Amino acid sequence: MKDLGVHLALLLLISTAIVTLGAFYGEADDRAARALWPKQMAKYLLGLALLVVVLLACEHTFAALE
């Protein structure tokens, strides 16, 4: 947890690149891709947050078994 800020910044940078490339390769028109990008970014970050919750729940559950 020492470099949490750095790791979160890098995650946001990589997430932005992934969503941006997906939006612009998925749409033929750049205007449509720009309009769609915020919604796709929100869905991607929501998915990441859900993954974090599931992983933390699994960690808490299985660590308690030891």
Side-chain angles (χ1 to χ4, degrees), residues 11-52:
L11 176 68
L12 187 60
L13 178 70
I14 296 301
S15 297
T16 302
I18 290 169
V19 172
T20 301
L21 288 173
F24 281 92
Y25 280 120
E27 292 292 326
D29 184 29
D30 286 350
R31 264 186 243 135
R34 275 190 224 121
L36 190 62
W37 186 86
K39 185 177 180 182
Q40 285 185 341
M41 189 66 176
K43 284 173 39 178
Y44 188 83
L45 292 177
L46 183 65
L48 284 177
L50 182 64
L51 179 64
V52 166

Side-chain angles (χ1 to χ4, degrees), residues 1-11:
M1 290 290 206
K2 178 181 170 187
D3 298 322
L4 183 61
V6 172
H7 286 102
L8 288 175
L10 289 173
L11 176 68

